Amino acid sequence: MRNEQATALLFELSRPGRRAVRFAAPDVAVQTTELLPEWALADKPPPLPEVSESDVVRHFTNLSARNMSVDSHFYPLGSCTMKYNPKRNERLASLPGFSQVHPYQPDSTVQGLLACLFELQEMLAEISGLPGVSLQPAAGAHGELTALLVAAAYFRHRGERRTKVLSPDSAHGTNPASARMAGFTAVTVRSTPSGFVDLDDLRRQLDGQVAVLMITNPNTLGLFDPHIRTIADLVHDVGGLVYLDGANMNAVLGITRPADCGADMMHFNPHKTFSGPHGGGGPGAGPICVRSDLEPFLPVPVVARRNGHYFLDYHRPESIGRVRAFFGNVGVLLRAYCYLLTHGPDGLRKVAENAVLNANYLLARLKRLLACPQGDRCMHEFVLTAEPLRRRGLKQPARDIAKRLLDYGFHAPTVYFPLTVPEALMIEPTETESKETLDAFADALEKILQEPLDLLQEAPHSTPISRPDEVQAARNPKLRWTPD
Ligand SMILES: *Cc1c(COP(=O)(O)O)cnc(C)c1O
């Protein structure tokens, strides 16, 4: 039987007069003269729930436990790199020198914080091979937009008018969206059946109107494009810039540098690659790195150093201006800084090697169950197709499998992305999972595929609600659970 209290709203737990905290009578004279004008006073007290402290604690603790998280479940959400978030980074980022400062404090009083951010800029420049760094953007998508605005400023400065931004059909939706937001026309480049950029189609699309090619490498199928240098050369030959979407840097950290592959600009997702906590719309960051002749156009401020003194440099006449308040999302950046220092250069390379090893182990186990159209090997993630299950009568087999995995205590993989694979299940285990966890996940998937179809079609069976209408749930939330 369901515990009614566990599913009630806080308002429904309310009992008149119940309190979590009672204050002692004041020991000073009470100010009785009106401190607020008549019009500003409410007619009656606000209808807040009247509850005890234990009501409140249980209510929110129970709600929080209904979520899946990397601290509670394996979370193989492809493209999102849901790796473990080390608690040590939380502790360091909350040191008072970081968490108790005010953004309007003079630079001289936050030298330690600025030194960390400056060093982070240098580390990102080293990893990318691109010397100009801005920590300002608030997410990967925001980094894309910022870099495209930098590219636009660069071409304006050169007196060139270029209107097009290319991205492959396997790209994340943010790539064409950022292109549009930055005022460009977004143009799609086809992929070959094996999942790489179709060089013939690229050649056809390239002309003097192309400002930027945005490319994810390894791409969203978990494949490293072997023609990346040729692709970059082709773009450079028409005077365009190459933007690397760095969401998949987890596969190549310390092994290859985007600049060496021909990238002129890129973003990092510290909340993916460098273990920042993310999800639920929480803060991320999207620092960008650019080659030196693009550096003057970066947003202000940039963290700079002169004569051993760190400062926020606003004096940059060619800058595109601000893209974010103050210094950016500093909390996430500090966690990335701690992560990078903890691992060091050799450790970062190990991160990438183990991410690729884990993904290939899981692929080797799963490809016997579901086909991997792009082959037997992957980088840090891979994409399976559940398309053949349609023949068994499932209308949306990828969705059904994803939903059923929740009953087994696993977060669902990414589904229906990339768009180039039908009934796609995109799986990224990350380097922080053990062989036992990977085996348990593979075992669960194996069991699920042998279950009666209705178990899959009606899953999940263990969650507070089963299958909300996802569009309605977002547009028209019904913030009340009613047992049926
Ligand atoms: C996550 C992701 C993005 C967007 O990054 P956010 O930090 O979520 O804005 C862009 N491209 C790819 C390939 C991604 O996986």
Side-chain angles (χ1 to χ4, degrees):
M1 217 180 80
R2 206 180 276 276
N3 176 352
E4 285 300 326
Q5 270 196 319
T7 55
L9 299 182
L10 203 52
F11 288 93
E12 292 163 351
L13 299 177
S14 180
R15 294 293 174 272
R18 193 162 291 169
R19 290 285 179 275
V21 179
R22 272 176 221 283
F23 293 103
D27 57 1
V28 290
V30 175
Q31 166 70 276
T32 50
T33 51
E34 293 292 7
L35 294 175
L36 286 173
E38 189 75 25
W39 60 263
L41 298 175
D43 311 334
K44 47 181 190 295
L48 297 176
E50 300 181 64
V51 286
S52 69
E53 181 168 327
S54 62
D55 289 337
V56 175
V57 169
R58 282 190 193 143
H59 180 73
F60 287 107
T61 304
N62 287 331
L63 277 184
S64 73
R66 284 195 197 166
N67 255 344
M68 288 191 154
S69 71
V70 280
D71 282 357
S72 56
H73 297 86
F74 177 45
Y75 211 126
L77 196 65
S79 210
C80 294
T81 317
M82 305 299 290
K83 64 171 78 175
Y84 178 68
N85 314 137
K87 299 302 164 244
R88 172 172 200 261
N89 299 347
E90 301 301 311
R91 204 169 65 241
L92 294 172
S94 58
L95 289 174
F98 297 138
S99 63
Q100 303 295 312
V101 293
H102 194 280
Y104 281 135
Q105 273 179 236
D107 292 349
S108 62
T109 65
V110 286
Q111 284 294 296
L113 170 61
L114 292 177
C116 294
L117 296 177
F118 183 83
E119 284 174 24
L120 176 61
Q121 288 177 176
E122 294 199 311
M123 291 178 201
L124 298 181
E126 175 73 25
I127 295 169
S128 64
L130 296 163
V133 183
S134 169
L135 301 178
Q136 291 270 318
H142 194 207
E144 295 169 21
L145 173 65
T146 305
L148 290 178
L149 294 173
V150 165
Y154 164 81
F155 288 119
R156 240 187 342 265
H157 183 79
R158 293 166 61 92
E160 291 183 50
R161 221 185 101 72
R162 290 174 179 255
T163 54
K164 292 196 276 188
V165 168
L166 310 183
S167 55
D169 51 12
S170 59
H172 197 268
T174 52
N175 290 185
S178 299
R180 289 285 297 276
M181 282 190 77
F184 294 100
T185 308
V187 179
T188 304
V189 181
R190 273 208 301 275
S191 302
T192 62
S194 35
F196 300 116
V197 169
D198 182 332
L199 292 177
D200 292 331
D201 193 44
L202 177 65
R203 283 197 188 90
R204 267 194 298 278
Q205 311 265 15
L206 281 173
D207 57 28
Q209 287 296 302
V210 172
V212 179
L213 168 80
M214 302 179 84
I215 186 165
T216 311
N217 197 36
N219 66 20
T220 57
L221 294 160
L223 304 172
F224 190 93
D225 200 314
H227 304 300
I228 184 68
R229 272 261 40 144
T230 310
I231 292 167
D233 290 345
L234 288 171
V235 175
H236 291 149
D237 285 347
V238 299
L241 298 170
V242 175
Y243 180 83
L244 180 95
D245 176 331
N248 293 342
M249 283 300 289
N250 212 43
V252 293
L253 279 179
I255 296 172
T256 184
R257 299 187 308 169
D260 300 337
C261 299
D264 307 299
M265 320 183 274
M266 70 167 294
H267 76 252
F268 284 96
N269 306 65
H271 45 289
K272 297 179 181 175
T273 314
F274 304 133
S275 81
H278 63 133
I288 58 171
C289 304
V290 299
R291 69 178 200 212
S292 55
D293 57 337
L294 297 168
E295 197 170 347
F297 308 103
L298 287 176
V300 281
V302 171
V303 186
R305 181 171 61 183
R306 194 183 296 132
N307 303 329
H309 176 81
Y310 298 96
F311 64 104
L312 293 171
D313 183 8
Y314 288 90
H315 192 70
R316 301 172 68 88
E318 320 259 31
S319 166
I320 60 165
R322 265 198 175 285
V323 297
R324 184 78 188 149
F326 304 116
F327 321 168
N329 282 346
V330 169
V332 186
L333 297 169
L334 287 169
R335 286 168 175 82
Y337 175 73
C338 296
Y339 182 82
L340 287 165
L341 277 186
T342 304
H343 282 288
D346 297 339
L348 287 179
R349 191 188 168 98
K350 280 250 150 42
V351 163
E353 288 169 353
N354 288 330
V356 173
L357 180 63
N358 268 3
N360 277 286
Y361 177 75
L362 200 52
L363 172 58
R365 281 217 50 186
L366 296 184
K367 73 182 181 210
R368 285 182 268 128
L369 308 174
L370 292 170
C372 178
Q374 273 72 40
D376 282 352
R377 289 282 185 278
C378 63
M379 296 292 288
H380 64 306
E381 66 188 353
F382 55 91
V383 181
L384 303 175
T385 176
E387 171 84 353
L389 294 176
R390 282 165 158 281
R391 270 184 261 123
R392 278 178 55 195
L394 294 175
K395 287 207 185 69
Q396 295 184 303
R399 170 155 301 143
D400 294 337
I401 292 170
K403 296 289 187 192
R404 185 65 179 137
L405 277 166
L406 304 178
D407 289 332
Y408 281 81
F410 294 107
H411 192 281
T414 298
V415 290
Y416 299 101
F417 178 75
L419 306 176
T420 46
V421 177
E423 295 298 324
L425 288 152
M426 184 194 219
I427 297 173
E428 178 180 11
T430 84
E431 72 285 0
T432 58
E433 297 299 335
S434 65
K435 178 172 177 295
E436 289 73 20
T437 302
L438 303 183
D439 282 332
F441 179 74
D443 291 345
L445 199 63
E446 191 164 2
K447 268 205 207 119
I448 287 172
L449 292 173
Q450 291 160 4
E451 287 177 336
L453 293 190
D454 57 338
L455 259 185
L456 269 92
Q457 282 164 318
E458 284 157 33
H461 305 275
S462 58
T463 51
I465 57 166
S466 186
R467 292 201 187 191
D469 176 330
E470 284 162 16
V471 177
Q472 282 299 315
R475 299 259 160 84
N476 200 0
K478 191 172 127 201
L479 299 173
R480 182 74 193 93
W481 177 84
T482 31
D484 40 27

